[in-house]
Amino acid sequence: MLQIATGRFFDDGKVNEGEFDSILFTNFSWIKPISTVTGELRPGNSRGPISSFVLRYPVRYEQSPNDILVLPVGNQVAEQFRLIAGLWFQAIFHPDRNHVELLCRSDERHDSHDGVPSQFVDTYFRTPVRADAQSTVGFNAFLDKTVAMPRQSFRLFMSCLRVFFNALEAIDTNKDLAYSMFVYVLEGLTQGSDGFVPAWEDFPEKPRRKLDKILGDVPDSQADSIRDILSDDPHLKLMKRFMEFTTNHIEDSFFSSEAHDRTPAIPKNELQRTLYNLYDSRSGFVHALEQVQEHIRSPMGSSTSDYFHWDSEPHLTFSGLARLCRHVLLNFVQRQPSTEKEDYPEWRREIPGIVTGKLAPELWIGRAESFRPEFINHRFSGFTAHLAQKLTVSPLQIADLRPLLETIERETSQAKKSDRNVMVCFYWLCHNLVHKDYHRPRWHDRVVQYKDAIEDCSIQMMASLVVLDGNFAWSKDDCEEEFELYLRRKFKPNAIRLPASVEVAVMSEIANMWLRVGDTVRFAGWIDRAILDAAGKQPVQDYLHQCKESGNEVCKQTILGVPPRCEFPDEAWLQWL
């Protein structure tokens, strides 16, 4: 929202503007107002080591025609501002005073001897963090550069910055998680950075030495091929991208002017090995919840040291890791292109508090003007969801689909076969549900023209038949195969997705087919699957369990919640199938 509020994405429409105030508590100390491109930070009252500042900032919003939103709430502007200010000044800014006091305390809360955050990181938690005129000027320039980044880079930066401060705060509660979260920050920044190809030297050293010894007896061409295959590993690629991206975003100043007060500071020649060990620690926590080195967790270490050696291997401290992340974050911003305006029409969807939802099926399933044959699966899925709700009420009342049915008649012949089959099934199901007074002229003849669409085994016909309380006319194996295929496909973007009650009804009818031939084992197996897929519907689960125990067929209408005496017209046509 901070970037949107600057107006860089607006066109020539009406722009509404308002001014907001937010109070921020901090261990940062400065006596003059700090004016920036996005607002002004004014000193407030100070009580003890924690100060208060008032952030006054403008929020701008370009109102589109028929837009009911006049001006969005600007609290996310303050949220993003406080994170950027905290990164630059190496301090904690937060709207909750108690939160700042807790993080910046000098004494432990209990006798756990885990240490307070300031014992692990020397900058962000000390009180006070004093500024000077040069740093405030630099902050204004950095904030200007930040909001001038391309939108996608800004969003990535803010996401990583939020995790960075989450990691700092987690030092107080979960040091193992905090250590890995710092690595997540660096990993997150690498998104969109490709072209890092791992070499054999990047393979873990111990297994690499063993493999080199074995491959010494293999012809060179085959040995090289084996090494290439082993190096083409997703985990190895991620590690390579992490190490090279991080290294490429570290300037010489990290080892010189920025390292004057570090005891000890990490030398450049040990950086690669340190990053390797850092990534390895992160992987150990993510995959096996392994704790970090005890030396890292101990408050006895120095909060001004970058790293230490253990068993000849270099490891970053929390202080060194925080310094590294900050350096990379700052350089990430500085290396981005800057623009005053950007064509980014998606900005409206990113206004805080706006949630995109789906319309109820009855509001769109009958709209003929928006129908396209290639999206019939979506329309059929919406129709079955609509039916799953309406079938529980008698008499049955469904959305008016007559304009859509007329459109389907015109489009059927031009559609590709897979779409045509679903269109014919949709057309056939609608006519079997509504009263004959609402039938399209000669609708029987139109279905007969494409009768393969309703005679072949398909998930859409299986769903239609259970809705109409009909039995499957196909073989048991074909029905099982088609349903399993449906389960594999249903999460694809344009696939048919049935409501849970219809899925359970389909499984129940497959179970019935096995019971009719006396196979009680297969019957019980499908009933068990149906019970587990009817999660949260205890009456349905109890009914299925009763059918299994008694060996009785499952009534599909009971599964769907259809009231007694809810009759469907045109039963003769259903029997024809």
Side-chain angles (χ1 to χ4, degrees):
M1 188 63 202
L2 181 70
Q3 195 181 40
I4 295 174
T6 63
R8 60 184 277 109
F9 308 122
F10 300 166
D11 294 322
D12 299 324
K14 176 186 176 183
V15 176
N16 300 325
E17 183 171 345
E19 199 168 54
F20 294 83
D21 288 335
S22 292
I23 298 177
L24 296 174
F25 297 96
T26 177
N27 57 335
F28 170 74
S29 178
W30 183 244
I31 59 173
K32 296 181 180 180
I34 302 176
S35 298
T36 72
V37 292
T38 61
E40 186 177 56
L41 192 64
R42 303 174 179 178
N45 295 326
S46 296
R47 178 162 53 88
I50 305 302
S51 303
S52 64
F53 283 78
V54 177
L55 175 64
R56 175 160 292 180
Y57 54 94
V59 173
R60 302 175 185 87
Y61 179 73
E62 183 183 40
Q63 194 171 14
S64 61
N66 303 319
D67 191 348
I68 63 173
L69 181 63
V70 177
L71 199 65
V73 178
N75 55 349
Q76 197 182 84
V77 173
E79 170 69 12
Q80 294 180 337
F81 183 97
R82 78 170 183 89
L83 295 174
I84 297 172
L87 177 71
W88 182 261
F89 293 115
Q90 300 182 73
I92 302 296
F93 290 83
H94 201 276
D96 185 346
R97 181 187 187 94
N98 292 332
H99 185 76
V100 180
E101 289 179 340
L102 180 65
L103 289 174
C104 299
R105 69 190 188 278
S106 58
D107 299 321
E108 296 185 42
R109 290 176 291 176
H110 41 70
D111 296 331
S112 64
H113 304 294
D114 289 335
V116 296
S118 59
Q119 291 179 279
F120 296 90
V121 178
D122 61 320
T123 48
Y124 296 87
F125 304 109
R126 69 169 178 251
T127 53
V129 174
R130 301 190 184 278
D132 54 34
Q134 184 179 0
S135 65
T136 58
V137 172
F139 171 62
N140 192 13
F142 178 71
L143 188 58
D144 192 9
K145 176 66 177 178
T146 301
V147 297
M149 287 193 296
R151 181 60 179 174
Q152 295 300 339
S153 297
F154 176 84
R155 292 184 63 191
L156 175 61
F157 170 73
M158 290 309 307
S159 296
C160 294
L161 183 57
R162 188 174 295 108
V163 175
F164 174 74
F165 276 95
N166 289 341
L168 283 171
E169 295 174 8
I171 293 174
D172 192 33
T173 55
N174 190 329
K175 294 175 177 56
D176 302 305
L177 175 61
Y179 202 77
S180 290
M181 289 177 70
F182 282 117
V183 184
Y184 301 160
V185 173
L186 299 173
E187 279 190 292
L189 288 173
T190 68
Q191 299 306 308
S193 302
D194 295 315
F196 301 118
V197 180
W200 179 240
E201 290 73 21
D202 299 314
F203 203 79
E205 185 174 0
K206 289 183 179 179
R208 186 179 75 235
R209 289 178 177 177
K210 294 179 180 178
L211 287 168
D212 281 337
K213 187 175 181 179
I214 295 172
L215 294 175
D217 299 328
V218 178
D220 290 344
S221 59
Q222 295 182 15
D224 290 341
S225 298
I226 293 173
R227 291 187 178 96
D228 290 341
I229 293 173
L230 293 173
S231 300
D232 190 26
D233 176 73
H235 175 76
L236 203 59
K237 289 180 179 179
L238 291 174
M239 183 185 69
K240 181 72 171 181
R241 185 171 70 175
F242 164 80
M243 293 180 62
E244 291 203 12
F245 178 90
T246 303
T247 303
N248 292 342
H249 280 75
I250 296 179
E251 306 287 349
D252 288 347
S253 60
F254 182 79
F255 307 98
S256 54
S257 59
E258 297 177 20
H260 288 165
D261 60 346
R262 312 305 294 175
T263 54
I266 184 172
K268 187 172 183 178
N269 68 75
E270 294 194 24
L271 178 65
Q272 283 288 323
R273 188 65 181 187
T274 306
L275 291 176
Y276 177 87
N277 291 333
L278 176 64
Y279 195 84
D280 190 55
S281 295
R282 165 262 184 209
S283 299
F285 178 77
V286 170
H287 301 297
L289 293 180
E290 294 179 359
Q291 291 186 334
V292 298
Q293 287 274 358
E294 190 61 36
H295 301 77
I296 298 173
R297 299 162 53 86
S298 173
M300 302 301 293
S302 172
S303 63
T304 61
S305 64
D306 275 349
Y307 81 128
F308 64 94
H309 287 90
W310 184 253
D311 288 340
S312 301
E313 293 288 348
H315 299 276
L316 284 171
T317 63
F318 275 113
S319 183
L321 186 49
R323 187 170 84 89
L324 175 71
C325 286
R326 179 179 185 270
H327 183 91
V328 173
L329 283 165
L330 294 177
N331 274 333
F332 176 84
V333 173
Q334 296 298 340
R335 296 185 186 187
Q336 297 299 315
S338 299
T339 58
E340 292 185 5
K341 300 286 288 185
E342 181 180 353
D343 183 17
Y344 188 73
E346 297 296 315
W347 68 267
R348 293 184 185 275
R349 296 186 179 183
E350 298 173 9
I351 296 293
I354 294 181
V355 179
T356 302
K358 291 186 177 180
L359 293 173
E362 57 263 31
L363 299 178
W364 54 268
I365 55 175
R367 294 182 60 183
E369 67 276 10
S370 61
F371 177 77
R372 293 170 60 185
E374 57 265 36
F375 298 128
I376 183 59
N377 286 348
H378 180 60
R379 196 71 65 112
F380 184 84
S381 301
F383 184 47
T384 55
H386 175 59
L387 286 177
Q389 294 179 335
K390 297 300 182 180
L391 283 172
T392 60
V393 180
S394 182
L396 177 65
Q397 295 180 336
I398 61 175
D400 185 2
L401 301 174
R402 286 173 291 177
L404 177 61
L405 296 178
E406 184 178 356
T407 302
I408 287 178
E409 291 176 356
R410 293 196 305 267
E411 299 284 347
T412 301
S413 61
Q414 304 298 322
K416 64 180 183 179
K417 184 178 179 180
S418 58
D419 297 332
R420 182 171 66 241
N421 288 347
V422 183
M423 291 166 67
V424 173
C425 177
F426 186 101
Y427 186 84
W428 176 83
L429 176 59
C430 291
H431 282 91
N432 274 280
L433 286 170
V434 301
H435 192 273
K436 62 182 179 180
D437 292 346
Y438 301 104
H439 288 179
R440 293 285 303 159
R442 300 177 58 241
W443 76 273
H444 290 80
D445 296 338
R446 299 181 190 280
V447 172
V448 170
Q449 184 180 357
Y450 302 103
K451 64 179 182 179
D452 287 348
I454 59 174
E455 289 180 345
D456 293 343
C457 181
S458 64
I459 190 61
Q460 63 266 18
M461 278 304 301
M462 294 167 72
S464 300
L465 283 171
V466 297
V467 167
L468 297 171
D469 201 23
N471 296 338
F472 296 165
W474 310 284
S475 72
K476 297 176 288 298
D477 291 337
D478 286 348
C479 292
E480 286 188 339
E481 182 179 352
E482 179 65 19
F483 186 73
E484 299 295 352
L485 182 62
Y486 157 76
L487 292 179
R488 294 194 296 271
R489 289 179 173 176
K490 73 175 186 175
F491 298 108
K492 294 183 178 180
N494 194 31
I496 290 175
R497 183 175 177 84
L498 303 175
S501 59
V502 176
E503 289 182 350
V504 173
V506 170
M507 287 187 278
S508 300
E509 178 55 21
I510 295 175
N512 290 342
M513 295 175 74
W514 287 109
L515 183 63
R516 291 171 194 142
V517 297
D519 193 334
T520 56
V521 175
R522 302 288 285 274
F523 168 75
W526 276 97
I527 292 296
D528 287 339
R529 288 182 60 174
I531 290 173
L532 298 179
D533 282 345
K537 301 177 181 178
Q538 186 174 350
V540 174
Q541 291 178 319
D542 291 342
Y543 172 68
L544 289 168
H545 185 72
Q546 292 171 8
C547 292
K548 175 185 173 182
E549 293 298 317
S550 62
N552 294 328
E553 283 196 19
V554 179
C555 175
K556 299 178 288 293
Q557 301 294 281
T558 300
I559 299 297
L560 296 173
V562 179
R565 299 183 299 280
C566 184
E567 298 179 356
F568 297 105
D570 222 349
E571 293 182 1
W573 179 248
L574 177 61
Q575 293 170 1
W576 175 83
L577 178 65

